[in-house]
Amino acid sequence: MQEYTQARKTELSERVQAVQEDLAEAAKKAGRAPSDVTLVAVSKLHPASDIAALADAGHLDFGENYVQEAAGKQEALQELDVRWHFIGGLQSNKAKFVAGNFELVHSVDSLKLAKKLAAKAAERGTVQDVLIQASLAGEEQKSGAEADELERLVAEASELDGLRVRGLMTMPPFFDEPERARPFFARLRELREGIGQRLGISLPHLSMGMTGDFVPAVEEGATLVRVGTRIFGARPPK
């Protein structure tokens, strides 16, 4: 792994601090404690040295989208006590590489994937924490359960040994104006509350909000926000 420079560490830590300040302000505006929201630094396509630099500065939550890339970084950084989040689309045939290797999988979008993760986690003697991904805008290019299918998927996934459903995730359409994403965040919160009550289960987490719209997401109840570009800069080509 290429070593990071002190200048890069300072740059990244200052960017994280700026995001944390905006996050804290949004949380306080909504009457929430800033500590109730976890900033996941989306490190996909950025070098392992950037993760090491931020970990050295005290930031420990990182989000990866691609299985092979994440595995390489995990191996390179195995001595660091960081928390890995898998946030990308996941094919069920790659679940075996993810189960037990991530603090949280944000993107479970089908019962088939849930079963694969559960089976592999149980085989490894662990329980994999997951979020169920919701599709609230009807965008064909984005994965996730439709609103009317979400409760059934949560219920069925919650019954699987080796899996623990911890909440919901969504990705609203991209808008130039962050406020236009707010209704999708509010809708996910309402769905989480209703499903939790009807099923009698705890769903503490809402993963929603990215670089351009995490402020309204926090104001609407996000407990996890996924911010990449504002921290690491523009992503290099894959």
Side-chain angles (χ1 to χ4, degrees):
M1 182 188 72
Q2 182 181 359
E3 292 296 319
Y4 61 84
T5 64
Q6 184 61 39
R8 182 59 170 167
K9 176 183 173 181
T10 299
E11 176 187 26
L12 291 172
S13 59
E14 287 177 349
R15 290 179 178 179
V16 164
Q17 181 61 35
V19 173
Q20 291 282 24
E21 289 172 358
D22 288 349
L23 185 157
E25 184 177 347
K28 291 175 182 176
K29 182 179 178 181
R32 305 176 63 205
S35 59
D36 290 342
V37 188
T38 297
L39 170 61
V40 178
V42 179
S43 45
K44 68 175 181 180
L45 302 181
H46 292 283
S49 58
D50 278 356
I51 298 173
L54 272 181
D56 192 33
H59 186 83
L60 301 178
D61 288 274
F62 296 92
E64 290 287 330
N65 287 61
Y66 308 115
V67 172
Q68 188 172 359
E69 179 188 351
K73 290 177 180 177
Q74 287 175 332
E75 182 176 0
L77 302 171
Q78 57 186 303
E79 294 182 2
L80 298 182
D81 188 23
V82 301
R83 293 182 289 268
W84 296 100
H85 298 248
F86 192 84
I87 62 174
L90 180 62
Q91 297 175 337
S92 57
N93 63 354
K94 292 187 177 181
K96 60 186 177 183
F97 301 113
V98 170
N101 292 324
F102 290 83
E103 184 88 4
L104 184 64
V105 177
H106 292 229
S107 49
V108 173
D109 60 358
S110 69
L111 184 59
K112 179 181 179 181
L113 175 57
K115 287 181 175 179
K116 290 281 189 177
L117 284 169
K120 183 54 65 173
E123 181 181 310
R124 292 175 174 166
T126 189
V127 176
Q128 177 64 61
D129 285 350
V130 303
L131 306 178
I132 302 300
Q133 183 171 351
S135 175
L136 303 182
E139 296 177 285
E140 293 184 2
Q141 72 273 26
K142 290 183 181 176
S143 300
E146 301 290 336
D148 59 353
E149 303 169 343
L150 194 58
E151 184 168 337
R152 182 176 65 181
L153 180 52
V154 171
E156 292 175 335
S158 296
E159 293 296 318
L160 298 173
D161 292 335
L163 211 67
R164 181 164 47 217
V165 178
R166 301 289 287 154
L168 306 176
M169 184 272 265
T170 198
M171 296 176 62
F174 174 78
F175 297 112
D176 290 331
E177 300 175 11
E179 279 299 311
R180 294 180 63 189
R182 186 182 295 273
F184 296 94
F185 301 143
R187 177 62 173 148
L188 193 70
R189 185 191 69 246
E190 293 165 357
L191 286 166
R192 187 270 304 269
E193 292 170 354
I195 291 171
Q197 289 175 359
R198 287 189 294 272
L199 297 181
I201 59 176
S202 174
L203 298 171
H205 288 302
L206 290 175
S207 174
M208 55 189 195
M210 298 186 290
T211 290
D213 56 17
F214 72 85
V215 168
V218 171
E219 291 174 353
E220 293 298 335
T223 64
L224 297 141
V225 296
R226 312 176 303 272
V227 178
T229 305
R230 189 171 162 190
I231 295 173
F232 294 102
R235 288 192 298 270
K238 184 180 176 185

